[in-house]
Amino acid sequence: MRVLTWNVQWKLPTSSAGQELLKRIKAEQPQVLCLTETYDSFLPAGHQIDSQADYGYPLTPGKRKVILWSQNPWELVDQIGSEQLPPGRFVSGTTETPIGSVRFIGVCIPWRAAHVSNGRRDRQPWEDHLAYLSGLADILARIDDDVPTVVLGDFNQRIPRRWSPPEVYEKLTSAFGGRFHFASQGLKFGSHSAIDHIALTDDVQASDVRPLSNITDDGSELSDHFGVVATVSKASGG
């Protein structure tokens, strides 16, 4: 199956940038995709589940930090995950795919300055990021091995580490507890390293992991993130 994730930086679906992003997404023909920093009306007809609307900043109708979209209906939908998570940045569900039933967890991990110099202005650098990783570790430790699991979205860290403090990077990798591998590890587009990622349990594997260009023909940016797409299949022997 084709899986795709992209932070589209709040582009409106009616804008020229939004239309071009949607064109590039559709060209990949994903069965499941995760968009972050988007609008609940961005994607065409299908089966969509959203994170909660309130993510701690002033509310704008339709804005969602995370959405998951599938060609097939969702079951076991969860918008909370863990009470430790900063709100409005998580959604998960299980859907049927060409390789069977798969659990998807869509995340938008807060960037290092969340609520530091804007928003509530009551946080230290990396505080909300680390709180989210604590909650995510709790979620991932509790999931059953009943179905394969894919975690995808905006991780706001590069893998392997670059720029983030060592202890923050260690918190990210330890949250996945050795049960997951990072399909997008080391992925680059030009000189930029991915901070949007796809992580998978060991019963599934990824191939043809590629960046999706965020640059237009005239050199402008569609988003400040490039997209990530991969083909996911059952692991050998699985």
Side-chain angles (χ1 to χ4, degrees):
M1 65 173 167
R2 299 292 286 163
V3 174
L4 185 154
T5 187
W6 206 333
N7 180 319
V8 297
Q9 199 188 8
W10 304 120
K11 295 301 186 293
L12 288 165
T14 53
S15 68
S16 58
Q19 289 295 302
E20 180 60 27
L21 284 161
L22 190 56
K23 177 182 175 182
R24 297 183 186 194
I25 289 167
K26 285 181 174 180
E28 298 297 330
Q29 298 183 316
Q31 277 85 35
V32 178
L33 65 95
C34 175
L35 296 187
T36 55
E37 294 192 347
T38 190
Y39 285 84
D40 58 10
S41 60
F42 192 90
L43 292 171
H47 300 278
Q48 179 173 310
I49 54 176
D50 305 344
S51 59
Q52 292 181 320
D54 186 358
Y55 55 94
Y57 286 80
L59 295 178
T60 299
K63 273 191 172 183
R64 295 293 185 274
K65 273 291 184 179
V66 193
I67 65 173
L68 288 173
W69 180 98
S70 173
Q71 289 181 335
N72 295 313
W74 293 96
E75 298 179 343
L76 305 176
V77 176
D78 180 4
Q79 293 179 304
I80 304 296
S82 168
E83 295 296 335
Q84 298 181 61
L85 291 178
R89 294 172 171 271
F90 175 95
V91 67
S92 70
T94 301
T95 187
E96 286 298 320
T97 76
I99 63 170
S101 183
V102 178
R103 177 190 297 110
F104 288 88
I105 298 175
V107 303
C108 188
I109 302 174
W111 76 304
R112 64 177 180 81
H115 295 294
V116 175
S117 59
N118 57 18
R120 296 190 307 270
R121 301 185 181 184
D122 60 356
R123 294 289 187 268
Q124 296 299 310
W126 297 107
E127 185 175 349
D128 263 12
H129 186 98
L130 290 168
Y132 194 102
L133 291 177
S134 292
L136 185 59
D138 176 61
I139 294 163
L140 299 182
R142 289 187 284 107
I143 63 171
D144 295 327
D145 295 327
D146 52 344
V147 296
T149 299
V150 178
V151 183
L152 70 173
D154 183 355
F155 285 32
N156 267 311
Q157 283 201 61
R158 295 158 180 84
I159 304 172
R161 186 183 75 86
R162 189 180 181 193
W163 309 122
S164 58
E167 64 273 16
V168 174
Y169 182 73
E170 169 62 24
K171 186 81 169 181
L172 171 67
T173 55
S174 65
F176 287 84
R179 299 177 65 187
F180 290 79
H181 57 283
F182 299 105
S184 48
Q185 179 170 331
L187 187 69
K188 289 188 173 185
F189 178 69
S191 61
H192 298 283
S193 298
I195 60 174
D196 296 70
H197 292 290
I198 299 172
L200 311 96
T201 46
D202 289 334
D203 43 4
V204 281
Q205 61 190 8
S207 60
D208 189 26
V209 183
R210 295 185 287 106
L212 297 175
S213 173
N214 61 332
I215 306 300
T216 65
D217 291 340
D218 65 8
S220 61
E221 287 189 344
L222 296 168
S223 166
D224 57 354
H225 293 233
F226 62 86
V228 178
V229 63
T231 299
V232 175
S233 59
K234 289 185 178 180
S236 301

